[in-house]
Amino acid sequence: TLRTMLAAQRREDGNSRSILVTGPSPSEGKTTTAINLASSLALAGNRVILIEADFRRPTVGEALGVRARVGIGDVLLGNVALEDALVLAPPFGDNLCALLVDRADDWLAEVLSLPAAEALLEDAKRLADYVVLDSPPLTQVIDAMPLARQVDDVVLVTRLGSSNLTQLAHLGDLLEQNSIRPAGFVVVGGPAPEESSYYREAQRR
């Protein structure tokens, strides 16, 4: 459902789309959402680059079962080209590549505020149909705010029974101050949707 909603805009203009996934607090499911969104887009036949922009708690590589020889920090510092830092994420063939944080480093996170970050995003959009960015929670650290201002869509992930409404309101204020209007919310932790009568009837035939 999320893939379909976000893909609608690209069908209208035909351009590559960049999507930043964030939330008000850690451990709310933003990384899982970013990985699942990127995987779903890749399974639909799109070329996707998943960028890990959380330098403090990098977990994308472990989740995908891949490791990076060089990472996003080297690309931002100009030590290596984006194409040389991408790693393929099986089992998606050539459709899904990841740009990972190869080592946690608070100092490197500050590089996201440099013009190199904007150039990285443009390079990624040139290579892919979709660029999905896993951002740190912007209420905790604002390293990725420059990227949030550059992307086409910002998606906020919240978890039922866990997300703090004060933190969520603070995130809303931050986004408004930076003239960012989120594309929408992903709510994690809700009950599984019941199978509709439409599908039950189809299965009986």
Side-chain angles (χ1 to χ4, degrees):
T1 302
L2 180 61
R3 178 193 71 195
T4 301
M5 294 177 67
L6 292 172
Q9 185 63 39
R10 181 172 184 269
R11 285 197 298 269
E12 291 179 7
D13 58 30
N15 297 323
S16 297
R17 301 290 293 180
S18 53
I19 305 160
L20 183 137
V21 181
T22 189
S25 306
S27 303
E28 292 182 319
K30 64 176 186 58
T31 297
T32 301
T33 299
I35 292 173
N36 286 343
L37 174 60
S39 301
S40 181
L41 289 166
L43 286 171
N46 300 289
R47 296 169 300 151
V48 183
I49 294 177
L50 173 61
I51 296 179
E52 184 170 42
D54 191 341
F55 283 85
R56 291 170 175 81
R57 299 179 63 182
T59 57
V60 172
E62 181 181 357
L64 292 175
V66 296
R67 297 183 64 182
R69 183 177 56 85
V70 292
I72 181 175
D74 293 294
V75 177
L76 290 171
L77 292 173
N79 297 330
V80 66
L82 171 60
E83 294 91 330
D84 296 329
L86 295 174
V87 293
L88 290 175
F92 303 98
D94 296 333
N95 281 355
L96 178 57
C97 294
L99 178 63
L100 303 175
V101 173
D102 58 328
R103 61 187 184 278
D105 195 319
D106 287 358
W107 175 80
L108 279 176
E110 298 179 10
V111 183
L112 289 174
S113 64
L114 300 179
E118 182 179 351
L120 167 62
L121 185 58
E122 291 303 313
D123 282 347
K125 290 177 68 174
R126 176 176 53 83
L127 296 173
D129 300 314
Y130 290 94
V131 179
V132 179
L133 299 97
D134 175 38
S135 162
L138 295 177
T139 56
Q140 306 285 319
V141 289
I142 59 172
D143 304 324
M145 186 60 76
L147 284 175
R149 288 195 292 263
Q150 296 296 327
V151 296
D152 298 304
D153 296 303
V154 172
V155 173
L156 307 182
V157 179
T158 60
R159 181 178 290 276
L160 287 177
S162 175
S163 293
N164 184 292
L165 293 180
T166 301
Q167 288 286 82
L168 187 58
H170 178 42
L171 177 56
D173 290 340
L174 281 175
L175 296 177
E176 184 178 16
Q177 290 165 14
N178 285 272
S179 302
I180 298 170
R181 182 176 182 178
F185 291 84
V186 174
V187 180
V188 178
E194 294 184 3
E195 198 174 56
S196 70
S197 59
Y198 176 83
Y199 290 104
R200 288 198 297 270
E201 183 178 345
Q203 289 173 350
R204 287 196 296 266
R205 292 178 179 174

